[in-house]
Amino acid sequence: MQAMMSNNKPHLSLWRRWNWLVWLIVVAVIYVWAIGGLQFTGLQESAGSVSKSIVHGLVNPDWKYVYNGSGEDLVSLILQTLAIAFLGTIISALISVPFAFWAARSEKEHYRLRSGSGKIVLTLIRTFPEIVLAIMFIKAVGPGSYAGVLAVSIHSIGMLGKLFSEAIENMDRGAEEAIVSAGGNSPQVFMLATLPTIMPEFISYTLYRFEIAVRSASILGMVGAGGIGTPMIFAIQTRNWPRVGIILLGIVVMVLLIDSLSEQLRKRLI
Amino acid sequence: MTNANLPRRSWIQRWHVKGFGWTALMVLLLIGSSKMTDVNVGMFFSNLDQFADLIVRMSNPTWDYLSVIIQPLIETIQMAILGTTIGTIFAIPFALMAAGNLVHNKFLRGFDRLVLDLVRTLPDLLLAAIFVAIFGIGSTAGVITLAIFSFGMISKLFYEVIETIDMGPLEAMESVGASKITIIWYAVLPQIMNQFVSYFLYTLEINVRASTVLGYLGAGGIGVYLQRSLNEFNYGATAVIILATIVVVLIIDGISNHLRRVLL
């Protein structure tokens, strides 16, 4: 916009002088529209007492739920959540590699038909809501953590494929050229140069995606796809706030542990 | 003599102990987690016809439904804008307090960061479920959820930006005896404003995505209709909702990406 307007100086200075006002009006209009459009249900009469019992439940968690050996307790379900996230991320990382090479731009390509189409496919996968995927897989394989694994593994392709393809675009081509100049064929180039060069970045992104997958695996259960989300939604619906408290505590501890573990591993990689 | 100078591979390197160790650990974890999640590859393929049936029914979108969902889609965007804004307003003081170059009190900073870390661990849908219980079904619960979610995210992004600023103007103002508020207004804000707006827009993008599913638990917006159509097995309508959501998300992403490019 600036380059376009630099041809006629007076107009530019006018725009320069008043553009803050234009932005202010635009932002004000957006906010009036946003606030006016929403119907505020306001506080329910029970909101006060519900909040009080929630706080009470959070302060006095149901410690007996942590482990009772039934396989339906907090520890078992947290482990199941981690298993869903782990398996989903690994599967998705494997599927993402071909997607990434599909979507990665290369100098040889003239019209960017291949990489462009790959990028569009990855964007569509990324935008497709994970919850809907979970519900679709529940119809296919029944409720349970298997549906959660499938949902995580398909949904993560969108983001991992994008990160992987960017890693491929920015990688150092030196090793590849060395193998080519020594007379290597393309499978050899791939196995001996391409893969070793980008592997640390791939692993680092996979670990990062695992952190996100842990969070989504803990809510997929709310629609019936296994993990800690299922008892959570039951506890909220039955207003069992001490149970909600202990599950929240479990999720917080799990996420903090996984995040710091993954961060340590990623620091050692790069 | 030259042989003695050759680097020798240690026992661990020669037998690739680390590589085998990691591989074994990964295989064990994979086996363990597939046992725990009852993964059954055969079942997926034997039920493939049901899945295919679902896809077929979804590939015939009932376009008439579009007129029903325009209003909730708009509501979704409004929820995202309000939630992000409220979250940002609360995030600014917390971000200033967490920045190591502005606040020298280690205890205060550590406590602030701990609170932010804890807030960020909570997944959005989980917050939505709790706020629906408090505020009842409707968009208020959604706005509060998004506000808390963006609060956690924005305050981290913001304090990381603040920590990278040039300290020169601050020191200059400090040396002439300006108050903390004056310093923040004249020395800190001008340096970070563009990045703040850019991160705000980025969070807005994420919140638009998130707000489309919050309604699934009753927190307003398009998600309410998503849940309804899925419960009624009205997959044609589900397809329309998903397609419309994708279009809206892509438009918002496009606008936001353009604005961010102009800003930075």
Side-chain angles (χ1 to χ4, degrees), chain B residues 187-221:
Chain B
V188 180
L189 268 188
Q191 291 194 53
I192 52 180
M193 211 51 211
N194 281 1
Q195 260 167 310
F196 269 22
V197 178
S198 163
Y199 279 138
F200 173 82
L201 290 169
Y202 172 65
T203 312
L204 184 68
E205 280 174 45
I206 293 177
N207 276 347
V208 169
R209 277 163 205 252
S211 64
T212 56
V213 291
L214 288 184
Y216 198 88
L217 296 170

Side-chain angles (χ1 to χ4, degrees), chain B residues 1 10 15 18 39 52 82 120 168 172 187 227 229 232 248 264:
Chain B
M1 200 178 102
S10 69
W15 297 100
K18 270 189 187 164
V39 165
L82 274 191
R120 267 203 313 282
Q227 195 229 17
S229 69
E232 292 166 354
V248 167
L264 292 181

Side-chain angles (χ1 to χ4, degrees), chain A residues 209-257:
Chain A
R209 181 65 216 188
F210 175 63
E211 291 175 33
I212 300 175
V214 168
R215 287 174 168 82
S216 43
S218 63
I219 50 179
L220 283 180
M222 290 182 153
V223 296
I228 192 70
T230 315
M232 180 78 186
I233 195 78
F234 281 143
I236 292 176
Q237 276 164 359
T238 55
R239 303 284 191 259
N240 185 352
W241 299 115
R243 178 67 59 88
V244 175
I246 191 74
I247 294 175
L248 268 181
L249 205 67
I251 292 177
V252 167
V253 170
M254 167 183 78
V255 172
L256 284 180
L257 278 179

Side-chain angles (χ1 to χ4, degrees), chain B residues 111-161:
Chain B
F111 179 73
D112 189 60
R113 287 192 182 188
L114 181 71
V115 171
L116 296 180
D117 280 344
L118 289 179
V119 171
R120 267 203 313 282
T121 57
L122 298 171
D124 45 3
L125 269 180
L126 213 153
L127 287 172
I130 293 176
F131 286 118
V132 166
I134 298 178
F135 294 102
I137 289 171
S139 49
T140 314
V143 171
I144 308 271
T145 304
L146 292 174
I148 293 189
F149 185 68
S150 30
F151 166 75
M153 192 172 148
I154 287 214
S155 33
K156 178 168 179 143
L157 291 171
F158 277 14
Y159 83 64
E160 282 172 355
V161 172

Side-chain angles (χ1 to χ4, degrees), chain B residues 43-228:
Chain B
M43 187 164 74
F44 180 66
F45 287 104
S46 62
N47 288 349
L48 206 59
D49 50 333
Q50 280 185 39
F51 194 67
D53 175 54
L54 194 69
I55 300 281
V56 168
R57 284 165 74 180
M58 282 180 91
S59 55
N60 294 308
T62 40
W63 293 111
D64 302 342
Y65 204 64
L66 207 56
S67 57
V68 181
I69 59 168
I70 286 199
Q71 179 52 35
L73 262 178
I74 292 175
E75 190 188 70
T76 304
I77 301 172
Q78 290 168 330
M79 272 165 55
I81 292 177
L82 274 191
T84 316
T85 311
I86 297 171
T88 310
I89 292 170
F90 282 99
I92 289 172
F94 277 83
L96 290 171
M97 227 192 309
N101 49 356
L102 296 183
V103 175
H104 301 296
N105 185 339
K106 256 201 180 137
F107 175 75
L108 184 68
R109 208 170 67 213
F111 179 73
D112 189 60
R113 287 192 182 188
L114 181 71
V115 171
L116 296 180
D117 280 344
L118 289 179
V119 171
R120 267 203 313 282
T121 57
L122 298 171
D124 45 3
L125 269 180
L126 213 153
L127 287 172
I130 293 176
F131 286 118
V132 166
I134 298 178
F135 294 102
I137 289 171
S139 49
T140 314
V143 171
I144 308 271
T145 304
L146 292 174
I148 293 189
F149 185 68
S150 30
F151 166 75
M153 192 172 148
I154 287 214
S155 33
K156 178 168 179 143
L157 291 171
F158 277 14
Y159 83 64
E160 282 172 355
V161 172
I162 297 172
E163 287 192 334
T164 61
I165 62 172
D166 175 16
M167 294 303 282
L170 273 84
E171 282 157 15
M173 288 187 71
E174 226 162 69
S175 65
V176 294
S179 72
K180 263 259 173 318
I181 303 289
T182 327
I183 292 178
I184 287 172
W185 187 257
Y186 288 102
V188 180
L189 268 188
Q191 291 194 53
I192 52 180
M193 211 51 211
N194 281 1
Q195 260 167 310
F196 269 22
V197 178
S198 163
Y199 279 138
F200 173 82
L201 290 169
Y202 172 65
T203 312
L204 184 68
E205 280 174 45
I206 293 177
N207 276 347
V208 169
R209 277 163 205 252
S211 64
T212 56
V213 291
L214 288 184
Y216 198 88
L217 296 170
I222 189 74
V224 178
Y225 291 79
L226 190 65
Q227 195 229 17
R228 198 176 291 167

